[in-house]
Amino acid sequence: MPDKESDRLQRRLEELERLSVKFEHELMRLKRDMRRHAEEEAAKPPQAEPTVAPEPAVTAEPAAVAEPATAPEPAAVAEPAVTAERAAAAKPVASPRPPTEAPQVVRKEKSQVDLEFWLGGRGLLLLGVLALVFAVGFFVKEAIERGWIGPAARVLLGAGVGVVALGVGERIRAVGYRTYGLWLAAGGFGAIYVSIWAGTALYGLVPTSVGFVMMVAVVAAAAALGLLRDSGSFVALAAVGGYLAPLLLRVEAASPLFGLCYLGLLSGAGLFVAYRTRWAGLAVVAILGGTMVALLSEGSPHLHGVYLALLIAGALLVARLREWLEVSVLTVALGWIALWTGKGGWEISGIVFAAYAAALWLADFIATVGVSGPPANVTEREQGAARPVRQATSPQESLQEFGLYSVTILPPVLFYVAALVGIGDSSYAESRDLIGLVLGFLIGAVYLGQTWLESRGEGEVQIWRAWLGFAFWLVAPCLLWSEVALARAWLLEGVVFTAVGIWFASVEARGAGLAAFAFAAMVYSAALVNRPDLDPAFISGWALTGLAVTLAIAAWPLAVDRAENPASWEVGIRPIPLLFAAVLFLAWGTVEIQRFFGLLSDAEGWNLARDLSISGFWMAYAVALLATGFWLKRPPVRWVGLGMALIAAGKVFLYDLSQLSQLYRIGSFILLAVVLLALSFRYQKMREGGEKHPS
């Protein structure tokens, strides 16, 4: 029992000593800040305080001088308290400081003072330590060349200098010069570290395994001292030495498993300490060292893949818990760079590469689940109740949003590309397109499902996740289909997306549906040059696909009219799809008429009939648009129909009728006149009844 009690008391004493050292450090920092503040206050230019003229003394006034409607109050003359208050008010009062550039000047002077102290304190100290190291190095070099000392003496000399520097640094730190002492101590550890390496790698005085253990022990001692002195930079420098040790002694060449286990333990310890102490710099060193050193080590497919996935997952977890967005961005970038760069050196290929890419994406996805955007204004959609959506309000927040998007959007895209590359190098290469299609739909479903879960809760909804999911669904069909088949796939997706958007009141789904229709129209138009020569007009799969795409684009604005809470951009964009669909239908009908007559025998003899059929189609189309516009009371539709009617009439007048004989020309003019007069009469009727039935 006495031994246990003495051990407990000893531990408490050590804890008190550690706390006293930390308190001493904080006290020194406080004194330094107070001294700096006093210097800044002394450097400020003195400001003259403006004076205020005292009010005239208040005396008893006769009744004739007082206001006509109010008699003088006797208390105003005889009450001494009021006189004291007015006398106090008459004292000079310092006016508020006029708006000048004084704060900017103070900040500028403060930054100059900080820079001066940094250069004078740490900059010169660093140069001094480097000069001392160079001096010792040149002395040792000269001693070696002249044969003054042997290998063992050189190693012991370097280690002795390191021990002396460490002791002097600790002594100097104890008397109040913390930074100076810590830098000297760091130099001492560095000298010991280099001496052990020289004795192991250069002179072979000790076995490699023993030298490695000794170097790791020096690193651990330096890290412990840094933790004891509450110095993040000291611990980070020790971690750098830990990552260099296996490279300097080529330990991983003998055993890749041992090298990766060592790197994993070192990186894990660094991330744990960074999490506990909130030292983001140490986390950066752990991630950089853990990935870069692994790239330089010997290859082992599964070992390196598992190690990298675990390292990235741990780093992302720490960055998530401490909300270090910059560390998250660095982790994602280094993880994918290491995977792509180490693919050949680690001998990772095929489906294994795709699997480890999936592990990186999964780690990033789990670490970013539930992460909201940076602080910003919360807006509502223009019509009806809406979910809160983030909008950046400053350049810093925009940069934070960019970082957030990069750690969330880039990993699935990189995984998708890596998976396709890996499948292409594997035995499943023949099924790569089908696997890529399914994989794209699965990734899209993940992000759409995440958005749906967010919408079910009360938190903020990250709308861009839904757009990311729909983007994967739109891209996936490109792997398996092309030309008219791809247009049909996008047409089907557009119908499904629009229906889901109407049913579930999802603006993103309706927007994705419109995008799918637009892609289908563009692909179909570009694919017409490859249409089979004998493909029939109007009734073939090609023709019906073009007609379906046109009708779908025209139906989208009508579907938006039935939406529960359409967004403002949906309401404003409705005329554009209608106009686009009108032009597409006109082009579709014209192309099909030309194909119909072109497939007839003696196609040259049908040129006049073809031209008249096209003109008749244009005029009938114009009449249909005008009738629809009158029925729905839609001026944009009527405008399109009116324009089509004028274009068709111009074609008939200027081109078609010049090819007819006199009798056919007379009949055609009569028919055209009847149509135009009927349309004009309808407009006149609408104008006369405009007050009763406004359109």
Side-chain angles (χ1 to χ4, degrees), residues 603-662:
E604 295 293 333
W606 294 94
N607 287 341
L608 180 59
R610 180 196 63 195
D611 294 338
L612 289 176
S613 298
I614 291 175
S615 299
F617 167 68
W618 287 10
M619 185 59 71
Y621 184 38
V623 172
L625 287 176
L626 286 170
T628 304
F630 287 130
W631 177 46
L632 298 178
K633 297 182 180 181
R634 298 289 186 183
V637 180
R638 295 198 301 268
W639 273 107
V640 175
L642 182 60
M644 284 300 309
L646 295 176
I647 293 174
K651 181 177 182 295
V652 171
F653 273 109
L654 299 177
Y655 178 75
D656 294 337
L657 296 183
S658 63
Q659 308 295 323
L660 298 177
S661 62
Q662 191 68 22

Side-chain angles (χ1 to χ4, degrees), residues 256-306:
L257 176 61
F258 174 78
L260 288 181
C261 289
Y262 169 76
L263 288 179
L265 290 174
L266 182 59
S267 300
L271 292 174
F272 176 76
V273 173
Y275 168 74
R276 293 297 301 270
T277 58
R278 300 179 180 269
W279 290 337
L282 180 58
V284 171
V285 171
I287 298 166
L288 281 170
T291 53
M292 296 297 102
V293 175
L295 282 176
L296 300 175
S297 61
E298 296 294 329
S300 177
H302 296 291
L303 290 179
H304 281 76
V306 173

Side-chain angles (χ1 to χ4, degrees), residues 380-386 563-572 574:
E380 292 186 353
R381 288 180 182 159
E382 290 76 6
Q383 300 183 18
E564 182 178 351
N565 291 311
S568 59
W569 67 268
E570 291 182 297
V571 177
R574 281 183 302 180

Side-chain angles (χ1 to χ4, degrees), residues 22 24 41 70 73 89 131 159 170 181 203 207 210 245 272 277 311 330 366 495 502 553-554 577 613 639 679:
K22 188 174 182 180
E24 178 186 357
E41 291 294 331
T70 306
E73 298 180 1
E170 275 295 288
Y203 307 125
V210 176
F272 176 76
T277 58
L311 173 64
L330 179 65
I366 294 175
V495 172
I502 298 299
I553 294 177
S613 298
W639 273 107
L679 294 177

Side-chain angles (χ1 to χ4, degrees), residues 593-608:
I593 291 173
Q594 289 179 337
R595 173 168 286 271
F596 174 79
F597 285 99
L599 293 176
L600 297 176
S601 59
D602 189 19
E604 295 293 333
W606 294 94
N607 287 341
L608 180 59

